[in-house]
Amino acid sequence: MPRSTLPAANSGLSPSRLKSRLPLSVLASLLASTMATGIYPALAAPNAVPLLTAQCVEYSSNFQPEFQDLQLLERQTLGLHNINDRLGYYRSFPLSAAQHELLLQCQLKLADTMDRFLSEPALTSLTSELNQDDEPQLQALAQRLDWLMQQHLGIEEKARLHGAQASIRQGMRSDDLKLELGQCALPGMQQALNPEENSAEQEAAQSAQKPGFFAVNIASYLMQQADSDCRAKVWRTYQGRARLRNQLPLSSIFALRQEQAKAHGYPSYSDFILSTQLLSTPSDVAKFLDASTQKLDYAPWDLGRELQQAHSTEMVALKGSEVLKALFDHLKPLGLTAERINDDWLRVYHHGRLLGELLISEGKHNRHKMLRRAVVGQQTGQSELVLKPQQVKLKDYQTAVSSLSAAIAQLSGGGRYYLNNSLELPQDGAGVGKAWLERYLSGAFAFSLKPAPGSREQLAEEYQ
């Protein structure tokens, strides 16, 4: 196909040509959406919500996709993706109701814009041309665009789906859902068990207000109940606590998904959603589950008691900074190095090529937060790695390794198009790189990151 229609990604566009195709205000929004949040994103995020929302509304309103110029189209859609990624990042912080409302406005605006984009007949023509090209990255981009169009639902169908999903969530959380315990009630407690997980503070407050009242969540009940028949009965009742209430919205979702599958020529939604996977049929999935599932020596309602009686895996306590240093020392043989700008800011390189920036912060839990996805020739990646000040338990080390692996995998995207780096097909193989890196990094310490035999951690892994 003509290369004038689909220019190579590294050919780029001159600034004058880009300005002629995009209004200056929209260009400013695109550039702003790709900027770093700074060294202290956790402090800047809440204050940046109004600015992000303004950029989001303006960019979405002015979005006019240019399907005749793939490079320009990539830059246009990259602006939408960057705003969407930043929106997801900001939602991870404690925000006021007004700030949540602003982010919701942005989310709805982006959804409407993507609906228009995926509904354009010109997009179908473009993907058809890309599929015929001999450039592997263009073929990969076409596959992802095709997948998005197949998954795309119209406005009415989306409203039905989200409405039903919201009803199910509400049904599971409803305060008036109580389990009638009857003879299985523990001494001193009410005859009804609220399935909601109450905090220790809430339980203490309720107990103080109601003499003789014993507030308990389902996990506490199962550990305290000595009668195995009662544990089994209450556990089964708890699992089906909202079955009748959620029957209608579940049926609505099922009917909607069946319609979607049949519209694409598949007998069921299971066949449709699995068609692009390595395990491509429901029978393949069933065989995989049968082959990889082992029967435990205890029932699920006895898990809490088993964990309570088991010992924890003993670990060496290290500071978060010491763990990070050990992990990066272990990455050097892979050609991955870090340049320290300051204590909270690293630049990550692979054999001298800048992958992106890694912002380091402290928190109650180890986790990875993506700020900006790497796209070769367009932008470097940016991630935040949150680490506990002290790594004490086995789970601390495992989540530290998993979080850094996720950050490195995200920064290492080698595609020239955003979708090639963000949407992996087949999706059931998408986590292979991260999983391999996790296993490799687990060897960075002088002690094992595997649970001790018979430990709580081993029991939890077996159950999962």
Side-chain angles (χ1 to χ4, degrees):
M1 76 187 311
R3 289 295 175 180
S4 58
T5 305
L6 300 175
N10 58 8
S11 64
L13 290 171
S14 66
S16 60
R17 186 180 177 192
L18 184 58
K19 287 181 182 179
S20 67
R21 308 298 287 274
L22 286 175
L24 185 58
S25 60
V26 178
L27 177 59
S29 176
L30 169 58
L31 295 176
S33 68
T34 62
M35 290 173 60
T37 56
I39 302 174
Y40 302 103
L43 299 177
N47 297 329
V49 168
L51 175 60
L52 175 72
T53 305
Q55 292 173 348
C56 176
V57 171
E58 182 181 10
Y59 195 87
S60 300
S61 299
N62 289 281
F63 182 72
Q64 298 293 333
E66 180 52 77
F67 293 101
Q68 299 305 313
D69 189 331
L70 181 61
Q71 193 65 7
L72 178 55
L73 182 64
E74 173 65 18
R75 293 190 182 219
Q76 289 175 315
T77 53
L78 182 59
L80 290 176
H81 294 311
N82 282 334
I83 292 173
N84 187 54
D85 290 338
R86 190 57 52 87
L87 183 151
Y89 174 73
Y90 288 169
R91 289 180 65 177
S92 68
F93 294 96
L95 303 173
S96 67
Q99 289 167 330
H100 276 296
E101 181 65 27
L102 288 174
L103 292 183
L104 179 59
Q105 291 178 20
C106 176
Q107 188 175 7
L108 293 173
K109 196 71 176 177
L110 289 175
D112 290 342
T113 304
M114 286 304 297
D115 179 74
R116 288 192 289 109
F117 174 72
L118 294 173
S119 302
E120 285 277 358
L123 182 60
T124 304
S125 301
L126 175 63
T127 55
S128 178
E129 293 178 358
L130 292 174
N131 273 314
Q132 299 171 25
D133 199 281
D134 56 3
E135 171 71 36
Q137 293 220 19
L138 296 181
Q139 294 176 359
L141 178 61
Q143 292 174 1
R144 284 148 179 79
L145 290 170
D146 279 332
W147 188 88
L148 288 176
M149 287 189 287
Q150 286 182 351
Q151 302 300 314
H152 177 242
L153 293 173
I155 296 294
E156 291 185 6
E157 289 80 6
K158 240 186 240 181
R160 283 170 53 196
L161 176 64
H162 294 323
Q165 290 171 337
S167 296
I168 292 172
R169 286 193 294 269
Q170 180 62 28
M172 298 297 288
R173 295 172 181 169
S174 180
D175 291 336
D176 62 357
L177 277 175
K178 295 185 184 297
L179 306 183
E180 298 298 331
L181 300 180
Q183 294 181 347
C184 287
L186 293 171
M189 74 178 294
Q190 285 186 332
Q191 295 301 302
L193 174 67
N194 190 333
E196 291 299 300
E197 299 289 333
N198 295 329
S199 67
E201 291 79 9
Q202 289 173 321
E203 291 176 359
Q206 290 172 337
S207 299
Q209 292 171 3
K210 300 180 180 180
F213 177 81
F214 180 64
V216 63
N217 60 40
I218 183 67
S220 299
Y221 173 87
L222 294 175
M223 286 192 287
Q224 296 178 47
Q225 176 57 261
D227 190 312
S228 59
D229 290 337
C230 279
R231 290 198 301 271
K233 176 184 175 182
V234 171
W235 184 86
R236 290 193 175 102
T237 304
Y238 175 76
Q239 299 303 320
R241 63 194 182 279
R243 180 175 59 85
L244 295 177
R245 178 173 297 189
N246 286 335
Q247 189 169 355
L248 185 59
L250 281 171
S251 299
S252 177
I253 293 176
F254 178 78
L256 176 63
R257 290 307 195 184
Q258 289 296 94
E259 293 171 12
Q260 185 183 8
K262 290 179 180 178
H264 289 89
Y266 291 90
S268 71
Y269 184 70
S270 298
D271 291 280
F272 170 57
I273 202 67
L274 292 171
S275 61
T276 57
Q277 310 301 340
L278 294 171
L279 299 174
S280 57
T281 66
S283 61
D284 287 340
V285 175
K287 291 176 183 176
F288 171 79
L289 292 175
D290 289 341
S292 59
T293 301
Q294 298 178 352
K295 186 176 180 180
L296 298 176
D297 295 330
Y298 52 87
W301 48 84
D302 292 331
L303 174 63
R305 298 171 70 87
E306 294 287 338
L307 292 174
Q308 195 176 38
Q309 296 169 12
H311 63 277
S312 294
T313 301
E314 293 186 7
M315 299 298 295
V316 177
L318 289 176
K319 293 180 180 179
S321 58
E322 294 173 326
V323 170
L324 186 62
K325 182 182 182 304
L327 292 175
F328 266 104
D329 286 344
H330 204 57
L331 287 171
K332 287 180 181 178
L334 302 181
L336 286 159
T337 56
E339 175 190 8
R340 185 173 293 277
I341 307 304
N342 58 37
D343 291 342
D344 308 299
W345 188 6
L346 303 178
R347 286 199 181 110
V348 182
Y349 295 85
H350 182 239
H351 292 299
R353 179 174 77 87
L354 177 63
L355 298 182
E357 297 175 333
L358 189 60
L359 308 177
I360 312 298
S361 62
E362 287 188 355
K364 294 182 179 179
H365 305 284
N366 298 326
R367 60 183 301 193
H368 160 247
K369 300 180 183 180
M370 187 189 73
L371 284 89
R372 186 179 63 216
R373 194 173 293 279
V375 183
V376 174
Q378 302 283 1
Q379 62 187 26
T380 56
Q382 190 177 58
S383 283
E384 181 183 2
L385 180 65
V386 183
L387 291 176
K388 297 176 64 176
Q390 287 279 344
Q391 312 294 317
V392 179
K393 301 178 181 179
L394 175 61
K395 185 177 180 181
D396 294 339
Y397 283 94
Q398 291 175 334
T399 54
V401 166
S402 177
S403 299
L404 182 60
S405 299
I408 297 296
Q410 183 256 310
L411 295 175
S412 302
R416 298 197 305 262
Y417 302 97
Y418 180 95
L419 288 179
N420 289 358
N421 293 340
S422 62
L423 177 58
E424 295 206 38
L425 297 176
Q427 288 175 294
D428 49 0
V432 171
K434 174 180 173 290
W436 181 91
L437 194 56
E438 280 187 41
R439 179 166 294 190
Y440 174 80
L441 285 176
S442 295
F445 306 98
F447 42 87
S448 172
L449 297 192
K450 293 183 179 180
S455 65
R456 293 177 184 175
E457 292 79 12
Q458 185 185 51
L459 289 175
E461 285 190 8
E462 288 176 350
Y463 184 77
Q464 289 174 347

